[in-house]
Amino acid sequence: DDLLEGRAPASRVGDLAAKYIAAQFARLGLEPIGPDGSYFQNVPMVGRTINKPADLRVAKGDEALTFKYIEEFVPTTDSERQTANVEGELVFVGYGIVAPEYRWDDFKGVDVKGKILLGLVNDPPATAAEPDLFGAKALTYYGRWTYKYEEAARQGAAGAILIHTTESAGYPFKVLQASGTGEQFDLPRGPGDVPPLGLKSWVTDTVARKILAVAGQDFDALVAAARERSFRPVALGLTASTKIHQAVRHIESPNVIGVLSGTDPKLSDEYVIYTAHYDHLGMNPNIDGDGIYNGAADNAIGVAALLGIAEAMVALPEGSKRTQVFAAVTAEEQGLLGAAYYARHPLFPPAQTVANINIDGLNQWGATRDIVEVGSGKSELDEVAQRVAERHQMKLLPDQFPEKGFFYRSDQFSLAKIGIPALYFDNGLDVISQPPGYGKEKFEDYTAKDYHQPSDEIKPDWDWGGAVQMARFIFECGWMAANWEREFHWAENAEFRAARLESLQKAKENKQ
């Protein structure tokens, strides 16, 4: 609703949304998590609001180029200073990846401390000689922008500039522009975190080409070189600098969590946790007309499903064997912060949490003959999804856009990193009441026009039959996971398997 002004975290209206959800949990009779009867797990965050100008300057001797804040250059920083000056030699680092298991190292021991890294998103593409390199077509975590910043920090860089293309990122540059406007949030740094990075930023590929031209380098030639295992960092002979003026504050925003206790004496201390983020991007006063980022599909509809599923579970005549946990999490749009905080401070033991079912959007385009499991093949929860699909007479498809890395872009990723097996579904594309290709066309249209834009609001052509179908599907997956007397493990090749085994081993040792 417009009255909630886009549900930005730590805002009055963001807190109002959280209190609304808590009131619904109370109405349903879900148990609160706090001893005071509260449903809130407060998430501490650092909020930063960047003021104009925060342009990027790139210089070679007396020659300099300036790229405009937001229009061409979208920055943020880990600094908590009111003025963050970042300057350093510019180095092209290809994909900026160190992955021993793939025998890949883009740095080759080159010292980039104090420098600003210019790099590509995504993974190096597979080749005929190595068809499974970095997951072949499927994006790995090494390809995500969050990893690029983390690795730059580990290398001691002063900053990182990532090169955006719509194809590589999976969304247009205006999505970054929208996300980079207004207050940006992060979790306070703790022991074991990567060092702070002075500059975390994006530029368009047009800007990157201009920068490289000044350095006497060809963009396409450097990209081609970066795809080779032999690539080494390229010093560009340029100095990059920016001055970021910002307002900084320390605030809290709650995860809202309610519990439905299990009924089985043996299994009630095991958990299925549902997650759906309730935040969105707030408001942009600089937009003429409607500047409210309602986030109807992303993710108000997902929270509606979370509440509907909880209500249905409560209404069943017999409770589930395992305990079910319903978590509406905050600050997903800021980097999965609410889920990440829960992963650092879990309220229920990860080793006893058998599954996470994440809801980030529902199908608003009509009932389908199929449904997509994002991250299929990663865990034994595939069998749950397959059984429910057979009962619904739906075809269960793997991720239809694996190159976009959707599994790493929503809240289940934070819980997977601590070993919790996860399910996450995306819309099917074969819409029953529409001609072939309609579902894909609507997905592409939403991504190009509405994703992270004020236009993500309820539209006259939404067909709620698809949302009902998908919510019922998720409900049945949750019910099965909460009652099936077996454990669910990560697949042998899943990157989260080691974390699961470690948590199970620690739990065993503590029990002994």
Side-chain angles (χ1 to χ4, degrees):
D1 193 284
D2 280 355
L3 290 174
L4 270 76
E5 298 175 355
R7 304 183 305 282
S11 65
R12 177 185 61 84
V13 286
D15 290 345
L16 182 61
K19 289 180 178 179
Y20 169 82
I21 296 164
Q24 295 303 305
F25 284 173
R27 178 182 67 83
L28 297 176
L30 297 183
E31 300 167 32
I33 54 170
D36 59 349
S38 167
Y39 293 93
F40 297 144
Q41 180 190 39
N42 288 320
V43 179
M45 296 190 295
V46 180
R48 301 176 178 87
T49 304
I50 296 176
N51 302 313
K52 292 182 178 180
D55 300 335
L56 174 67
R57 186 176 186 271
V58 176
K60 181 178 183 180
D62 294 333
E63 184 178 2
L65 297 175
T66 299
F67 301 101
K68 293 293 184 182
Y69 170 63
I70 295 296
E71 293 176 32
E72 301 170 296
F73 169 63
V74 179
T76 185
T77 177
D78 289 334
S79 172
E80 295 188 24
R81 296 178 178 176
Q82 290 187 330
T83 300
N85 290 305
V86 185
E87 182 174 352
E89 179 187 342
L90 198 59
V91 180
F92 179 73
V93 294
Y95 289 92
I97 291 172
V98 177
E101 66 272 36
Y102 292 107
R103 295 181 293 109
W104 194 280
D105 182 357
D106 281 320
F107 294 94
K108 306 285 194 307
V110 174
D111 186 1
V112 294
K113 291 184 177 64
K115 298 178 181 179
I116 296 177
L117 312 185
L118 179 67
L120 306 168
V121 292
N122 288 8
D123 303 315
T127 64
E130 294 184 281
D132 296 322
L133 182 64
F134 285 99
K137 187 181 179 183
L139 188 73
T140 73
Y141 186 57
Y142 290 114
R144 289 287 292 143
W145 56 268
T146 48
Y147 168 81
K148 312 291 183 175
Y149 293 145
E150 290 167 3
E151 189 57 47
R154 281 190 286 267
Q155 295 288 332
I161 303 171
L162 302 182
I163 301 169
H164 173 276
T165 67
T166 298
E167 180 184 12
S168 63
Y171 42 76
F173 193 67
K174 66 181 180 180
V175 171
L176 296 171
Q177 292 171 316
S179 301
T181 303
E183 192 170 20
Q184 304 295 297
F185 296 93
D186 201 358
L187 297 180
R189 302 199 108 63
D193 286 349
V194 296
L197 199 60
L199 174 65
K200 302 189 293 189
S201 62
W202 291 82
V203 296
T204 64
D205 59 330
T206 300
V207 168
R209 288 177 185 276
K210 290 178 180 178
I211 290 172
L212 293 171
V214 173
Q217 298 281 351
D218 179 75
F219 176 86
D220 296 318
L222 284 179
V223 170
R227 293 173 176 169
E228 300 295 328
R229 201 180 286 283
S230 59
F231 172 83
R232 294 178 63 85
V234 179
L236 299 176
L238 306 175
T239 299
S241 60
T242 188
K243 182 179 288 188
I244 296 175
H245 301 280
Q246 60 181 0
V248 180
R249 63 175 180 145
H250 289 259
I251 36 77
E252 290 183 338
S253 180
N255 291 331
V256 191
I257 303 174
V259 180
L260 181 60
S261 292
T263 60
D264 186 272
K266 278 175 51 182
L267 297 178
S268 61
D269 63 350
E270 295 182 359
Y271 307 90
V272 173
I273 182 168
Y274 304 81
T275 47
H277 76 90
Y278 68 87
D279 65 294
H280 202 55
L281 300 178
M283 295 179 65
N284 185 349
N286 299 317
I287 293 178
D288 291 334
D290 182 7
I292 300 174
Y293 292 86
N294 299 94
D298 184 16
N299 182 39
I301 198 171
V303 176
L306 182 83
L307 295 173
I309 290 168
E311 185 163 8
M313 291 294 183
V314 169
L316 290 173
E318 293 184 11
S320 61
K321 294 178 180 180
R322 292 186 170 101
T323 295
Q324 299 186 70
V325 180
F326 298 87
V329 294
T330 187
E332 189 267 359
E333 303 292 9
Q334 302 290 330
L336 319 183
L337 301 187
Y341 185 81
Y342 179 90
R344 293 183 187 181
H345 307 277
L347 300 177
F348 306 93
Q352 293 165 230
T353 305
V354 300
N356 166 226
I357 300 176
N358 186 47
I359 312 170
D360 195 353
L362 286 184
N363 178 7
Q364 66 268 36
W365 302 314
T368 58
R369 299 178 182 88
D370 54 5
I371 190 168
V372 173
E373 182 192 352
V374 178
S376 64
K378 288 184 179 294
S379 84
E380 292 173 349
L381 286 171
D382 287 0
E383 193 171 345
V384 171
Q386 186 59 53
R387 290 193 179 197
V388 175
E390 289 171 1
R391 235 187 352 257
H392 282 247
Q393 297 183 326
M394 297 174 74
K395 188 174 182 180
L396 183 67
L397 300 178
D399 193 347
Q400 299 299 287
F401 305 95
E403 69 281 1
K404 298 184 187 297
F406 286 134
F407 192 85
Y408 309 99
R409 289 168 54 178
S410 195
D411 290 307
Q412 76 285 333
F413 176 52
S414 293
L415 276 67
K417 285 201 290 187
I418 61 169
I420 298 173
L423 276 178
Y424 171 41
F425 298 102
D426 204 352
N427 299 355
L429 299 178
D430 187 5
V431 182
I432 295 171
S433 61
Q434 299 293 342
Y438 177 83
K440 184 179 181 183
E441 177 187 326
K442 296 299 285 186
F443 171 82
E444 291 175 346
D445 190 60
Y446 169 80
T447 302
K449 298 178 182 177
D450 299 330
Y451 176 60
H452 284 196
Q453 300 300 312
S455 56
D456 180 4
E457 52 193 0
I458 296 174
K459 297 182 184 296
D461 65 344
W462 279 20
D463 183 337
W464 294 95
V468 171
Q469 178 193 44
M470 197 166 173
R472 285 176 172 162
F473 190 99
I474 296 169
F475 166 86
E476 289 196 29
C477 287
W479 177 253
M480 182 174 287
N483 286 280
W484 197 349
E485 294 186 31
R486 58 164 290 183
E487 294 180 354
F488 302 101
H489 300 285
W490 290 103
E492 290 283 349
N493 62 347
E495 58 266 66
F496 314 110
R497 181 177 174 83
R500 183 65 175 176
L501 293 175
E502 182 181 349
S503 69
L504 291 173
Q505 181 61 32
K506 284 183 178 178
K508 184 179 179 181
E509 291 170 359
N510 292 337
K511 199 171 184 180
Q512 289 174 344

